[in-house]
Amino acid sequence: MPPPPRTRQIPVIVLAGFLGSGKTTLLNHLLRHRAGNRIGVIVNDFGSIEIDAMTVSGQVGSTVSLGGGCLCCAVDAGELDTYLETLTRPSSRLDVIVIEASGLAEPQELVRMILASDNPHILYGGLVEVVDAAEFGATRERHPEIVRHLAVADLVVLNKTDRAGEEERALIHRAVAATGSVAAVVPTTYGRVAPELLFDPALRPDGEEKSRQLTFEDLYLEERARETGEEHGGHLHTAYESVDFTSDVPMDPRRLMEFLDSRPVGLYRLKGYVDFGAGDADHAYAVHAVGRFLRFAPRPWARGEPRLTQLVLIGSGVDAQALGKELEGCRAAGEPGPETAQDAAHERAMWGVLRYVRQPGDDET
C-alpha cells in the first residue's frame, strides 16, 4: 500500500442511539477489543455515564485516562471543536476518536459539526446508530424521530438480538429500508461489534510493541480466555466481510465514480489508492468512503512506486465476489490521451468531480 498522506488524520466516529439501546456497552466493548488502538472518547451528555475504569457524573470539561493510552472527556456540544483540537495533538497519540452522543441528541448535527470543522487532523469516521432490537416498536412510539436517525446512519447496530424474534428483526430491516438507506445493518448481542468494522488495527513500531506494558485490553482478554477457554479470535465479535482489490491496470474515473455512487447495501467502508493512468499521470488518489461520505485526495507518486490501484472494502452481508467483479469492470479499456479539445475539456471536468468531497445530506444532481 502506498505511503499515507503527510498530515495524519484521525477518524472521528459518532456513536448514537436512544437511552437503553446499548451505546455504552458497545463503547466498553471497543475499549476492550480496540485492535491495539488508542481511543479518545468524547461523551456528549450531562448525565451519569458508566464507562469501565471511570465514571463521568455531570462534569463538563473533565478528561480522564482510561489506560492503554485511551482518554475520555465529558463535554458540551458547543465545546466539541475545542476538545477535538486537544485530542488530536501529537502528544495525545490517539488513533481513533469516538463521540458518544446523548440519548436525546440529534446525531446529524454532530456529523455536520465534524464535517464543518477546520481541524486538519480529523477525518469523518461514520455515524453508528445503536438500536435495541427487542424494544424497537416501543422506542419508535416514544421517539418517532428514530426513523430520521436511521435514514442518516452509516451503520445500524441491532443490539440485544438474543431477546428479539425473527419477526421483530424483520420489522427493523423493513424500517431501515423504508428510509431509502443502504446502511449496513449488523445484528449483535452485548454490543459485540468487530472493531475492524469501524476502524483499522493500529500499526505500532516493532520496538514499542515489544516493550510496552500490558494494557487494560490485554488483561481483560487474558482473564476472559482463562474463564471461558476462548481464544482472542474474532468469534467474540459480529462477523464482517473484507474485500481486497488490486489492479495494475489504471481505473476509468467515470466507471469508478458510478460504482462509488451506487455502493451496495451493507458496504460500510472503502479505503485505498487509485491509479487513473493518463487521466492524471502525476498523482495517485487516496479514496476514503464511509456510508455516503466520499472523499478523494491526490498526492504525487513516489519515485519508483508501483502504479497500482489498491482498495479495501469492508461491510456486513456484502457479496465479496460480486464486488470484485464490479471493480474489475471499472478498469480503463485503454490509455489513449484525449483526441480532441472537447475530450480534453471533458477529462478536466471529470477531475473536478474527483476532487469533490461528497458529504451525507448532499442532494443528488
Coordinates of all heavy atoms in Angstrom, one line a residue, residues 60-127:
V60 N -18.6 18.6 33.1 CA -18.2 19.1 31.8 C -16.8 19.6 31.8 O -16.4 20.4 32.6 CB -19.2 20.2 31.3 CG1 -18.8 20.7 30.0 CG2 -20.6 19.6 31.3
G61 N -16.0 19.2 30.8 CA -14.7 19.7 30.7 C -13.7 18.8 31.4 O -12.5 19.2 31.5
S62 N -14.0 17.7 31.9 CA -13.1 16.8 32.6 C -12.4 15.8 31.6 O -13.1 15.4 30.6 CB -13.8 16.0 33.7 OG -14.8 15.2 33.1
T63 N -11.2 15.5 31.8 CA -10.5 14.5 31.0 C -9.9 13.4 31.9 O -9.3 13.8 32.9 CB -9.4 15.1 30.2 OG1 -9.9 16.1 29.3 CG2 -8.7 14.1 29.3
V64 N -10.2 12.2 31.6 CA -9.8 11.1 32.5 C -9.1 10.0 31.6 O -9.5 9.7 30.5 CB -11.1 10.5 33.2 CG1 -10.6 9.4 34.1 CG2 -11.9 11.5 33.9
S65 N -8.0 9.5 32.2 CA -7.3 8.4 31.5 C -8.1 7.1 31.7 O -8.5 6.7 32.7 CB -5.9 8.3 32.1 OG -5.3 7.2 31.5
L66 N -8.2 6.3 30.5 CA -8.8 5.0 30.6 C -7.8 3.9 30.6 O -8.1 2.7 30.6 CB -9.7 4.9 29.4 CG -10.9 5.8 29.3 CD1 -11.7 5.6 28.0 CD2 -11.8 5.7 30.5
G67 N -6.5 4.2 30.6 CA -5.5 3.2 30.5 C -5.2 2.8 29.1 O -6.0 3.0 28.2
G68 N -4.0 2.3 28.8 CA -3.6 1.9 27.5 C -3.5 3.0 26.5 O -3.6 2.8 25.3
G69 N -3.4 4.3 27.0 CA -3.3 5.4 26.2 C -4.7 6.0 25.8 O -4.7 7.0 25.1
C70 N -5.8 5.4 26.2 CA -7.1 5.9 25.9 C -7.5 7.1 26.9 O -7.1 7.1 28.0 CB -8.1 4.8 25.9 SG -7.9 3.5 24.7
L71 N -8.3 8.0 26.4 CA -8.7 9.1 27.2 C -10.2 9.3 27.0 O -10.8 8.9 26.0 CB -8.0 10.4 26.7 CG -6.5 10.5 26.7 CD1 -6.0 11.8 26.1 CD2 -6.0 10.5 28.2
C72 N -10.8 10.0 28.0 CA -12.2 10.3 27.9 C -12.5 11.7 28.4 O -11.9 12.1 29.4 CB -13.1 9.3 28.8 SG -14.9 9.6 28.6
C73 N -13.3 12.4 27.7 CA -13.7 13.8 28.0 C -15.2 13.9 28.1 O -15.9 13.2 27.3 CB -13.2 14.8 27.0 SG -11.5 14.7 26.6
A74 N -15.8 14.6 29.0 CA -17.2 14.9 29.1 C -17.4 16.4 28.7 O -16.8 17.3 29.3 CB -17.7 14.7 30.5
V75 N -18.1 16.6 27.6 CA -18.1 18.0 27.0 C -19.5 18.4 26.6 O -20.4 17.5 26.4 CB -17.2 18.1 25.8 CG1 -15.8 17.7 26.1 CG2 -17.7 17.4 24.6
D76 N -19.8 19.7 26.5 CA -20.9 20.2 25.9 C -20.7 20.2 24.4 O -19.6 20.4 24.0 CB -21.1 21.7 26.4 CG -22.5 22.3 26.0 OD1 -23.1 21.7 25.1 OD2 -22.8 23.3 26.5
A77 N -21.8 20.1 23.7 CA -21.6 20.1 22.2 C -20.9 21.3 21.7 O -20.2 21.3 20.7 CB -23.0 19.9 21.5
G78 N -21.1 22.4 22.3 CA -20.5 23.7 21.9 C -19.0 23.7 22.1 O -18.3 24.5 21.5
E79 N -18.5 22.8 22.9 CA -17.1 22.7 23.1 C -16.4 21.6 22.3 O -15.2 21.3 22.5 CB -16.8 22.4 24.6 CG -17.3 23.5 25.5 CD -17.0 23.1 27.0 OE1 -17.3 21.9 27.3 OE2 -16.6 24.0 27.7
L80 N -17.1 21.0 21.3 CA -16.6 19.9 20.6 C -15.4 20.2 19.9 O -14.4 19.4 19.9 CB -17.7 19.4 19.6 CG -17.4 18.1 18.8 CD1 -17.1 16.9 19.8 CD2 -18.5 17.8 17.9
D81 N -15.3 21.3 19.1 CA -14.1 21.7 18.4 C -12.9 21.8 19.3 O -11.8 21.4 19.0 CB -14.3 23.0 17.6 CG -14.8 22.7 16.2 OD1 -14.4 21.6 15.7 OD2 -15.5 23.6 15.6
T82 N -13.1 22.4 20.5 CA -12.0 22.6 21.4 C -11.4 21.3 21.9 O -10.2 21.1 21.9 CB -12.5 23.4 22.7 OG1 -13.0 24.6 22.3 CG2 -11.4 23.6 23.7
Y83 N -12.3 20.3 22.1 CA -11.8 19.0 22.6 C -11.2 18.2 21.5 O -10.3 17.4 21.7 CB -12.8 18.3 23.4 CG -12.8 18.7 24.8 CD1 -13.5 19.8 25.3 CD2 -12.0 18.0 25.8 CE1 -13.4 20.3 26.6 CE2 -12.0 18.5 27.1 CZ -12.7 19.6 27.5 OH -12.6 20.0 28.8
L84 N -11.7 18.3 20.3 CA -11.2 17.7 19.1 C -9.7 18.2 18.9 O -8.8 17.4 18.5 CB -12.0 17.9 17.9 CG -13.3 17.1 17.8 CD1 -14.1 17.5 16.6 CD2 -13.0 15.6 17.8
E85 N -9.6 19.5 19.1 CA -8.2 20.1 19.0 C -7.3 19.5 20.0 O -6.1 19.1 19.7 CB -8.3 21.6 19.1 CG -7.0 22.3 19.0 CD -6.4 22.2 17.6 OE1 -7.1 22.2 16.7 OE2 -5.1 22.3 17.5
T86 N -7.8 19.3 21.2 CA -6.9 18.7 22.3 C -6.6 17.3 22.0 O -5.4 16.9 22.2 CB -7.7 18.8 23.7 OG1 -8.0 20.2 24.0 CG2 -6.9 18.2 24.8
L87 N -7.6 16.5 21.6 CA -7.3 15.1 21.4 C -6.5 14.8 20.2 O -6.0 13.7 20.1 CB -8.7 14.3 21.4 CG -9.5 14.3 22.7 CD1 -10.8 13.6 22.5 CD2 -8.7 13.6 23.8
T88 N -6.5 15.7 19.2 CA -5.7 15.4 18.0 C -4.3 16.0 18.1 O -3.5 15.9 17.1 CB -6.4 16.0 16.8 OG1 -6.6 17.4 17.0 CG2 -7.7 15.3 16.5
R89 N -3.9 16.5 19.2 CA -2.5 16.9 19.4 C -1.6 15.7 19.3 O -1.9 14.7 19.8 CB -2.3 17.7 20.7 CG -3.0 19.0 20.7 CD -2.9 19.6 22.1 NE -3.6 20.9 22.2 CZ -3.9 21.5 23.3 NH1 -3.6 21.0 24.5 NH2 -4.5 22.7 23.3
P90 N -0.4 15.9 18.7 CA 0.5 14.7 18.7 C 0.8 14.1 20.0 O 1.0 12.9 20.2 CB 1.8 15.3 18.0 CG 1.3 16.5 17.2 CD 0.1 17.0 18.0
S91 N 0.8 14.9 21.1 CA 1.1 14.4 22.4 C 0.1 13.5 22.9 O 0.4 12.6 23.8 CB 1.3 15.6 23.4 OG 0.1 16.4 23.4
S92 N -1.1 13.6 22.4 CA -2.2 12.6 22.9 C -2.0 11.3 22.3 O -2.5 10.3 22.8 CB -3.6 13.2 22.4 OG -3.9 14.4 23.1
R93 N -1.4 11.2 21.1 CA -1.0 9.9 20.5 C -2.2 9.0 20.3 O -2.2 7.8 20.4 CB 0.1 9.2 21.2 CG 1.3 10.0 21.4 CD 2.3 9.3 22.4 NE 2.9 8.1 21.7 CZ 3.4 7.1 22.4 NH1 3.4 7.1 23.7 NH2 3.9 6.1 21.8
L94 N -3.4 9.6 19.9 CA -4.6 8.8 19.7 C -4.7 8.3 18.2 O -4.2 9.0 17.3 CB -5.8 9.6 20.1 CG -5.9 10.0 21.6 CD1 -7.1 10.8 21.8 CD2 -6.0 8.7 22.5
D95 N -5.4 7.2 18.0 CA -5.6 6.7 16.7 C -7.1 6.8 16.2 O -7.3 6.9 15.0 CB -5.3 5.2 16.7 CG -3.9 4.9 17.1 OD1 -2.9 5.3 16.4 OD2 -3.7 4.3 18.2
V96 N -8.0 6.8 17.2 CA -9.4 6.9 16.9 C -10.1 7.8 17.9 O -9.7 7.8 19.1 CB -10.1 5.5 16.9 CG1 -11.6 5.6 16.5 CG2 -9.3 4.5 16.0
I97 N -11.1 8.5 17.5 CA -11.9 9.3 18.5 C -13.4 8.8 18.3 O -13.9 8.8 17.2 CB -11.8 10.8 18.2 CG1 -10.4 11.3 18.5 CG2 -12.8 11.6 19.1 CD1 -10.1 12.7 18.2
V98 N -14.0 8.5 19.4 CA -15.4 8.1 19.4 C -16.2 9.1 20.2 O -15.9 9.4 21.4 CB -15.6 6.7 20.0 CG1 -17.1 6.3 20.0 CG2 -14.8 5.7 19.2
I99 N -17.3 9.7 19.6 CA -18.2 10.6 20.3 C -19.4 9.9 20.7 O -20.2 9.4 19.8 CB -18.5 11.8 19.4 CG1 -17.3 12.6 19.0 CG2 -19.5 12.8 20.2 CD1 -17.6 13.8 18.0
E100 N -19.6 9.7 22.0 CA -20.9 9.0 22.4 C -21.9 10.1 22.6 O -21.8 10.9 23.5 CB -20.7 8.2 23.7 CG -22.0 7.5 24.1 CD -21.9 6.7 25.4 OE1 -20.8 6.8 26.0 OE2 -22.9 6.0 25.7
A101 N -22.9 10.1 21.7 CA -23.9 11.2 21.8 C -24.9 10.9 22.9 O -25.2 9.8 23.3 CB -24.6 11.3 20.4
S102 N -25.5 12.0 23.4 CA -26.6 11.9 24.4 C -27.7 11.1 23.8 O -27.9 11.1 22.5 CB -27.1 13.3 24.7 OG -28.4 13.2 25.3
G103 N -28.4 10.4 24.6 CA -29.5 9.6 24.1 C -30.6 10.4 23.4 O -31.4 9.9 22.7
L104 N -30.6 11.7 23.7 CA -31.6 12.6 23.0 C -31.0 13.5 22.0 O -31.6 14.5 21.6 CB -32.4 13.4 24.1 CG -33.1 12.6 25.1 CD1 -33.8 13.5 26.2 CD2 -34.2 11.7 24.5
A105 N -29.7 13.3 21.7 CA -29.0 14.2 20.7 C -29.5 13.9 19.3 O -30.0 12.9 19.0 CB -27.5 13.9 20.9
E106 N -29.3 14.9 18.5 CA -29.6 14.8 17.0 C -28.2 14.4 16.4 O -27.3 15.3 16.2 CB -30.1 16.1 16.5 CG -31.6 16.3 16.6 CD -32.4 15.3 15.8 OE1 -31.9 14.8 14.8 OE2 -33.5 15.1 16.2
P107 N -28.0 13.2 16.1 CA -26.7 12.7 15.6 C -26.3 13.5 14.3 O -25.1 13.7 14.1 CB -26.9 11.2 15.3 CG -28.4 11.0 15.3 CD -29.0 12.1 16.1
Q108 N -27.2 13.8 13.5 CA -26.9 14.5 12.2 C -26.2 15.8 12.5 O -25.3 16.3 11.8 CB -28.1 14.7 11.3 CG -27.7 15.2 9.9 CD -28.9 15.1 9.0 OE1 -30.1 15.0 9.4 NE2 -28.7 15.2 7.7
E109 N -26.6 16.5 13.6 CA -25.9 17.8 13.9 C -24.5 17.6 14.3 O -23.6 18.4 14.0 CB -26.7 18.5 15.0 CG -28.1 19.0 14.6 CD -28.0 19.9 13.4 OE1 -27.2 20.8 13.4 OE2 -28.8 19.6 12.5
L110 N -24.2 16.5 15.1 CA -22.8 16.2 15.4 C -22.0 15.9 14.2 O -20.8 16.3 14.0 CB -22.8 15.0 16.4 CG -23.3 15.3 17.8 CD1 -23.4 14.0 18.6 CD2 -22.4 16.3 18.5
V111 N -22.6 15.1 13.2 CA -21.9 14.8 12.0 C -21.6 16.1 11.2 O -20.5 16.3 10.7 CB -22.8 13.9 11.1 CG1 -22.2 13.7 9.7 CG2 -22.9 12.5 11.8
R112 N -22.5 17.0 11.2 CA -22.3 18.3 10.4 C -21.2 19.1 11.1 O -20.4 19.7 10.4 CB -23.6 19.1 10.4 CG -24.6 18.6 9.4 CD -25.9 19.4 9.5 NE -26.9 18.9 8.5 CZ -28.2 19.2 8.6 NH1 -28.6 20.0 9.5 NH2 -29.0 18.8 7.6
M113 N -21.1 19.0 12.4 CA -20.0 19.8 13.1 C -18.7 19.2 12.8 O -17.7 19.9 12.6 CB -20.3 19.7 14.6 CG -21.5 20.5 15.1 SD -21.8 20.3 16.9 CE -20.5 21.2 17.6
I114 N -18.6 17.9 12.7 CA -17.3 17.2 12.3 C -16.9 17.6 10.9 O -15.8 17.9 10.6 CB -17.4 15.7 12.5 CG1 -17.6 15.3 13.9 CG2 -16.2 15.0 11.9 CD1 -18.0 13.9 14.1
L115 N -17.9 17.5 10.0 CA -17.6 17.8 8.6 C -17.3 19.3 8.3 O -16.6 19.6 7.4 CB -18.8 17.4 7.7 CG -19.1 15.9 7.6 CD1 -20.4 15.6 6.8 CD2 -17.9 15.1 7.0
A116 N -17.8 20.1 9.2 CA -17.6 21.6 9.0 C -16.4 22.0 9.8 O -16.0 23.2 9.7 CB -18.8 22.3 9.5
S117 N -15.7 21.1 10.5 CA -14.6 21.5 11.4 C -13.4 21.9 10.5 O -13.2 21.3 9.4 CB -14.2 20.4 12.3 OG -13.0 20.7 13.0
D118 N -12.7 22.9 10.9 CA -11.5 23.3 10.2 C -10.2 22.5 10.7 O -9.1 22.8 10.3 CB -11.2 24.8 10.5 CG -12.3 25.7 9.8 OD1 -12.8 25.3 8.8 OD2 -12.6 26.8 10.4
N119 N -10.4 21.6 11.6 CA -9.3 20.8 12.2 C -8.8 19.9 11.1 O -9.5 19.0 10.6 CB -9.8 20.0 13.4 CG -8.6 19.3 14.1 OD1 -7.6 19.0 13.5 ND2 -8.8 19.1 15.4
P120 N -7.5 20.1 10.6 CA -7.0 19.3 9.5 C -6.6 17.9 10.0 O -6.2 17.0 9.1 CB -5.7 20.1 9.1 CG -5.3 20.7 10.3 CD -6.5 21.1 11.1
H121 N -6.7 17.6 11.3 CA -6.2 16.3 11.8 C -7.3 15.3 12.0 O -7.1 14.2 12.5 CB -5.5 16.5 13.1 CG -4.3 17.5 13.0 ND1 -3.2 17.2 12.3 CD2 -4.1 18.7 13.6 CE1 -2.3 18.2 12.4 NE2 -2.9 19.1 13.2
I122 N -8.6 15.6 11.6 CA -9.7 14.7 11.8 C -10.2 14.3 10.5 O -10.1 15.0 9.5 CB -10.8 15.3 12.7 CG1 -11.4 16.5 12.1 CG2 -10.2 15.6 14.1 CD1 -12.7 17.0 12.8
L123 N -10.9 13.2 10.5 CA -11.5 12.6 9.3 C -12.8 11.9 9.7 O -12.9 11.3 10.8 CB -10.6 11.5 8.7 CG -11.0 10.8 7.4 CD1 -10.9 11.8 6.3 CD2 -10.0 9.6 7.2
Y124 N -13.9 12.2 9.0 CA -15.2 11.6 9.4 C -15.1 10.1 9.3 O -14.7 9.5 8.3 CB -16.3 12.1 8.5 CG -17.6 11.6 8.7 CD1 -18.3 11.8 9.9 CD2 -18.3 10.8 7.7 CE1 -19.5 11.2 10.2 CE2 -19.6 10.3 8.0 CZ -20.2 10.5 9.2 OH -21.4 10.0 9.4
G125 N -15.5 9.5 10.4 CA -15.4 8.0 10.5 C -16.7 7.3 10.5 O -16.7 6.0 10.6
G126 N -17.8 8.0 10.4 CA -19.1 7.3 10.3 C -20.0 7.6 11.4 O -19.6 7.9 12.6
L127 N -21.3 7.5 11.2 CA -22.4 7.6 12.2 C -22.9 6.2 12.5 O -23.5 5.6 11.6 CB -23.5 8.5 11.7 CG -24.8 8.5 12.5 CD1 -24.5 8.9 14.0 CD2 -25.8 9.5 11.9

